Amino acid sequence: MNKDTHIKLKGDKVIEQIPSTKDKALRINLNENIYGIFAEIGAGQETVRHFFRAGGSSGTIAKAMSAYDKDFSDSIYGVEEDGRYVTESRLKKMLSHESSLIENRLSRKTHPNKIFFTYANTVATIDFAKQFKGHGWVGIRYQIEPTEAYNEIIIHIRFKETDVRLQQETLGVLGVNLIYGAFYKYNDPKRLLRYLYDHLDKDQLEIDTINFSGPCFVDVDNRLMSLQLVKNGMTDAVIFDPQGRNVLPAAILYKKNILALRGSFRPVTKVNMDMYDESLKMFLKENKVDPDNTLVIFEITLSNLRSDGEIDERDFMDRAQLLCSLGQTVMISNFQEYYRVVEYFSKYTKARMGLAMGVNNLVDIFDEKYYRHLSGGILEAFGKLFYRDMKVYLYPMIDENGEIMNSETLKVHPRMKELYKFFKFNGKVVDIENYNPENLEVFSREVLKMISENKPGWESMLPSGVSDIIKKQELFGYKKNQLVEKNN
């Protein structure tokens, strides 16, 4: 057994033997049909050197190159509109260009059994001042059968190490894992995703975006793959757009005014959309908020997705489909505390932010138990939450006595009263006043129960068109046949 081979144990039982990086590269090299190109920009040719060193590389490597000079790179792959090089667009051009070359230069008559691939990366490692740790796009375009169309796996990574050499080594191992997984684990994308971290640690790099495409992945929903990134601890948050496409958080959040709404959205009710509509109107009236540079995020936390300790993927997809159908941008995160959401957004923007929430959520924010892990406790958390240009837009609720609860009447722990008054007095918490009182009687858990039990009347509790989407796509346990049987 190779000394670098890792073994996973469950108790005293070996459940999985992970081949070493060298063994992975060697297995690829010894497959007489796998043949392709390595094109690496920005961090040296770190992936291909593993294949050169493993032995037998002449049967695998058609070409290895690094168009390091910008003019050479532009001449080969074209000029990017934004002038940048470490972008998804650049990576896709590299994959497309090199794949075309191998198809044009190698005759299928001469190589009828070859399955071609192009591996590419475009990366920026840590800068000299160590201010920016670096990031990159990594991808593979490949065949499983000689006559089959190409598949693609594209990922975005962020380095966590603070040494260029270490980042280069990490990139090389990741590249081998990606190529090996693409050829030998493509039939199980979730496992393929986990194997990207073979011989790597999550303290070395973060994977915050992944997209699968091609005939091997026709049944793969990339939103579900995004969920796996958060679930596996590979990243803290992922974002997908209204079309259901995974998008790079840095690209969509960069310098934006951000209004975020956290909820279960199970399903989206009139309360959710009333909160969205009214808080957005208020947010857009704020000073320094540009309507053309504003992004609304519907956030679902990982803990909100768990059912009996496990994540219900069908339930997740129901929520994702519904929110996307309503034209919303969705973020899945592992941020239980609100201050972590604001911290996350602050990595990408210094513009004004807003959080829209209900009374119960705000009361929870002032509960000290959520901040015991911080050395500065609740004061540290609130410093991170409110020190930026941020406001809370508060949606009211009805208490057990039928009274309206808002920012003036809500009750926090006696020790938190003065702290709450401070933020309230300084305008950090404002009430949504132009709400629809009828919506205060709507509760998503009751709606969900009515849907699953096929009880009538739930449609009126949802925004226009939402019930039609639920019925058409049979979301949240709605069954057309059961309703027909019940009516008969």
Side-chain angles (χ1 to χ4, degrees):
M1 183 185 301
N2 189 297
K3 66 178 181 179
D4 296 321
T5 299
H6 286 193
I7 295 175
K8 288 186 179 180
L9 300 174
K10 190 172 185 179
D12 295 328
K13 184 178 180 182
V14 176
I15 59 172
E16 189 173 14
Q17 183 173 307
I18 302 173
S20 68
T21 303
K22 180 180 179 181
D23 287 343
K24 287 185 176 184
L26 183 60
R27 184 179 177 187
I28 294 287
N29 284 349
L30 295 180
N31 187 319
E32 61 183 14
N33 294 324
I34 297 176
Y35 201 57
I37 293 173
F38 292 79
E40 304 182 70
I41 295 179
Q45 295 183 283
E46 296 302 316
T47 300
V48 74
R49 82 180 162 87
H50 284 284
F51 291 86
F52 278 126
R53 290 180 175 180
S57 60
S58 61
T60 297
I61 304 171
K63 180 181 77 171
M65 68 171 296
S66 179
Y68 206 84
D69 182 84
K70 292 180 179 179
D71 291 334
F72 269 80
S73 184
D74 287 343
S75 178
I76 296 170
Y77 303 118
V79 179
E80 299 296 324
E81 289 184 10
D82 58 10
R84 296 187 296 152
Y85 293 86
V86 185
T87 64
E88 184 179 16
S89 172
R90 191 51 151 207
L91 180 74
K92 287 185 174 181
K93 286 179 181 178
M94 293 170 70
L95 292 172
S96 177
H97 176 84
E98 302 298 345
S99 295
S100 296
L101 280 185
I102 198 168
E103 287 282 357
N104 293 333
R105 292 178 178 176
L106 296 180
S107 168
R108 282 292 181 185
K109 291 183 180 179
T110 308
H111 305 284
N113 298 318
K114 291 292 185 185
I115 49 178
F116 296 141
F117 77 91
T118 294
Y119 167 83
N121 65 50
T122 174
V123 173
T125 52
I126 192 168
D127 66 330
F128 184 76
K130 297 188 183 295
Q131 187 174 1
F132 303 101
K133 289 186 178 179
H135 72 110
W137 288 93
V138 182
I140 182 170
R141 194 167 190 260
Y142 71 107
Q143 298 173 299
I144 292 300
E145 297 292 339
T147 57
E148 195 175 67
Y150 283 86
N151 305 284
E152 272 189 4
I153 306 173
I154 293 177
I155 63 177
H156 180 265
I157 64 171
R158 291 191 173 279
F159 293 111
K160 294 184 177 181
E161 295 165 309
T162 56
D163 179 85
V164 173
R165 182 181 59 81
L166 294 177
Q167 290 183 353
Q168 290 172 329
E169 292 175 357
T170 294
L171 179 65
V173 174
L174 175 71
V176 175
N177 289 342
L178 176 60
I179 296 169
Y180 184 85
F183 283 108
Y184 296 115
K185 305 295 179 183
Y186 65 87
N187 58 344
D188 192 347
K190 290 181 184 177
R191 292 183 71 188
L192 188 158
L193 202 57
R194 293 197 300 273
Y195 291 155
L196 292 178
Y197 277 88
D198 283 358
H199 312 293
L200 294 174
D201 191 274
K202 295 182 179 70
D203 289 335
Q204 293 174 268
L205 85 160
E206 170 188 356
I207 300 175
D208 60 4
T209 306
I210 189 162
N211 281 295
F212 294 83
S213 61
C216 284
F217 307 117
V218 67
D219 295 323
V220 172
D221 191 305
N222 283 309
R223 291 170 296 189
L224 197 55
M225 293 300 104
S226 277
L227 175 62
Q228 302 305 311
L229 291 178
V230 183
K231 178 182 175 182
N232 295 336
M234 298 174 180
T235 190
D236 288 325
V238 292
I239 297 176
F240 44 89
D241 65 15
Q243 288 72 46
R245 297 174 302 207
N246 292 341
V247 293
L248 180 65
I252 199 170
L253 299 174
Y254 185 63
K255 291 187 176 181
K256 288 287 197 306
N257 298 294
I258 301 172
L259 176 65
L261 296 86
R262 174 179 290 186
S264 63
F265 309 116
R266 194 174 180 240
V268 176
T269 66
K270 284 184 175 179
V271 172
N272 300 132
M273 297 313 291
D274 196 26
M275 185 187 300
Y276 159 71
D277 290 331
E278 297 306 321
S279 63
L280 181 57
K281 289 176 186 176
M282 296 172 68
F283 187 61
L284 293 178
K285 290 179 182 177
E286 297 284 355
N287 186 30
K288 301 178 184 177
V289 174
D290 179 2
D292 296 327
N293 192 46
T294 295
L295 177 68
V296 179
I297 298 280
F298 279 66
E299 185 210 7
I300 305 174
T301 64
L302 204 63
S303 59
N304 202 294
L305 291 171
R306 297 189 188 279
S307 175
D308 299 323
E310 293 296 324
I311 291 177
D312 186 335
E313 293 183 352
R314 170 67 198 190
D315 179 66
F316 162 74
M317 288 307 303
D318 287 353
R319 301 191 223 185
Q321 285 179 244
L322 185 54
L323 286 168
C324 287
S325 297
L326 293 172
Q328 301 302 333
T329 299
V330 181
M331 181 169 86
I332 310 299
S333 80
N334 66 357
F335 305 135
Q336 184 171 354
E337 304 90 355
Y338 274 101
Y339 79 86
R340 294 187 62 203
V341 180
V342 174
E343 269 193 317
Y344 180 76
F345 290 152
S346 297
K347 292 194 302 183
Y348 306 110
T349 183
K350 307 301 179 188
R352 174 159 284 188
M353 300 179 206
L355 296 175
M357 66 181 71
V359 169
N360 279 339
N361 297 104
L362 184 60
V363 171
D364 281 345
I365 285 179
F366 283 85
D367 191 331
E368 290 181 286
K369 70 181 181 184
Y370 294 113
Y371 313 110
R372 288 170 184 158
H373 62 287
L374 296 176
S375 58
I378 193 170
L379 291 179
E380 179 182 342
F382 274 52
K384 294 177 178 179
L385 180 62
F386 286 115
Y387 87 102
R388 292 203 181 276
D389 201 358
M390 203 280 296
K391 275 187 181 179
V392 169
Y393 300 91
L394 189 65
Y395 198 84
M397 67 173 287
I398 297 179
D399 66 14
E400 61 272 13
N401 299 317
E403 299 294 326
I404 301 293
M405 291 181 64
N406 56 25
S407 68
E408 300 292 341
T409 59
L410 66 80
K411 295 178 176 60
V412 298
H413 192 281
R415 285 202 304 270
M416 296 294 108
K417 278 186 177 181
E418 294 306 314
L419 184 62
Y420 173 71
K421 285 180 181 178
F422 172 79
F423 289 110
K424 169 66 176 168
F425 178 78
N426 283 281
K428 293 294 187 179
V429 180
V430 292
D431 286 306
I432 296 174
E433 296 179 346
N434 191 27
Y435 63 92
N436 186 342
E438 295 179 3
N439 292 338
L440 301 184
E441 302 290 346
V442 175
F443 299 95
S444 60
R445 60 181 178 274
E446 293 181 7
V447 176
L448 185 67
K449 185 177 180 181
M450 293 172 73
I451 293 174
S452 61
E453 295 178 358
N454 282 310
K455 291 183 178 179
W458 57 269
E459 295 91 340
S460 63
M461 301 180 190
L462 308 184
S464 176
V466 171
S467 61
D468 295 332
I469 297 172
I470 291 174
K471 290 177 180 179
K472 183 178 180 180
Q473 300 185 24
E474 295 192 335
L475 307 179
F476 304 108
Y478 178 84
K479 298 293 182 184
K480 296 175 185 176
N481 294 337
Q482 287 183 13
L483 190 59
V484 170
E485 292 172 4
K486 187 174 182 178
N487 291 335
N488 291 335

